[in-house]
Structure formats: structure tokens, C-alpha cells
Amino acid sequence: MHALCTLVAGLPIMSIEVTSAAFAADSAIPLEFTCEGDDVSPPLAWSRVRDGAQSIAILVEDPDAPNHPFTHWLITDLPATTTSLPRGAAPPRGASEATNDRGKRGYAGPCPPSGTHHYHFHVYALDTTIGCPSSKAEFLSKIRDHVVDEGELVATYAKHRA
């Protein structure tokens, strides 16, 4: 978890429940959502967002990647009323997809060089909108002090072929 976890009105942040109809927490991500499959984003859903949110942001990353955590997907400014994204979703009007660590906008499925990696699907509820950041570092800077709530779903993936 990022160092953004603080208290809101005396309550710890981390009350958002993040789920996927495609896989359970701590289980393997199906092939279709990876570089070995269709490389499309999995369906995601979240609930229990506290009042006061103005937007939702999603960050998907692999902290097991060599050298630094690898950013697979970064979406900002989803309407606060949004509670899910379907398989292969494009962000709705007004939302933005930032450049991932493969150098393209949108989702980049898991593709670890070796071994089993963990993929963190972070969902942040923010008290503002932040526009489209140029990097994960800028994203983390922009959301600092604006996180109303957050949650995450962690799953794994290991390549099937070398």
C-alpha cells in the first residue's frame, strides 16, 4: 500500500471494497487479461465509498517488477458515482487514462519476466479532480491530501510460456 493511508474523521482509510468478477483476491489473473491473452482490462467493481468523493482514480501496478513498481494502468477523474468498469473498458467521458510503463495510454496486462508477480488494483476516492498526470509520481503528488477513501484488490500472475 502507498503511504497515503491516513485517517479521515478519525476513521482509517481503506474501507473501499474492490472486487473483480474475473478473479478473487490473492488468486491468479486469467490469461485473457495478460500479455499472453487478449491484454484487456478485467472487470472491476468497488463499493463502500464514503460521502464527499468528487472523483475516483484507479492505479494498477506490479511492485515485484525489476527496478521499480511497474504501472499497468492509471485512470483519473472517473465520476464519483462510478462503481465499476466492465471488461476492456474505455474510461467514460471526462475521465483520463495516463501513460503506463509500456509507454502507451490505457491498460497493459501483466507480463512478468519471470516468476509469480503480485498485481495491486488500487481504487482511490478523491475530494477533487486532478486531470491527466504525466507519470505515477505526478499522480501520487496530485492525490496527496485529497484521498477520501481507498481500497485494493491484489492478484497474481506468472507467465505460461517463456
Side-chain angles (χ1 to χ4, degrees):
M1 178 54 49
H2 290 111
L4 296 169
C5 206
T6 58
L7 296 178
V8 174
L11 300 172
I13 293 179
M14 281 298 287
S15 70
I16 295 177
E17 181 180 11
V18 184
T19 60
S20 177
F23 54 88
D26 301 317
S27 68
I29 296 170
L31 190 72
E32 71 181 289
F33 305 111
T34 73
C35 68
E36 295 183 285
D38 296 336
D39 206 14
V40 297
S41 61
L44 289 177
W46 52 93
S47 61
R48 300 194 321 228
V49 174
R50 290 189 183 118
D51 290 341
Q54 296 299 309
S55 70
I56 301 292
I58 297 172
L59 169 64
V60 179
E61 64 182 348
D62 171 7
D64 302 322
N67 304 319
H68 62 85
F70 189 96
T71 301
H72 286 269
W73 201 19
L74 184 53
I75 299 178
T76 58
D77 297 345
L78 289 163
T81 55
T82 305
T83 58
S84 66
L85 290 174
R87 175 192 185 280
R93 181 175 294 212
S96 299
E97 286 181 302
T99 302
N100 59 45
D101 282 346
R102 282 198 202 143
K104 65 176 190 168
R105 288 192 185 273
Y107 177 80
C111 198
S114 64
T116 300
H117 286 221
H118 295 82
Y119 297 87
H120 295 247
F121 293 76
H122 302 276
V123 175
Y124 299 98
L126 308 175
D127 65 4
T128 188
T129 56
I130 62 168
C132 189
S134 62
S135 67
K136 183 175 79 173
E138 182 183 355
F139 168 75
L140 293 174
S141 174
K142 283 185 167 193
I143 70 171
R144 184 169 307 286
D145 300 325
H146 294 287
V147 177
V148 173
D149 217 348
E150 65 184 283
E152 75 176 352
L153 171 64
V154 179
T156 61
Y157 188 71
K159 274 190 177 174
H160 290 82
R161 15 181 217 267

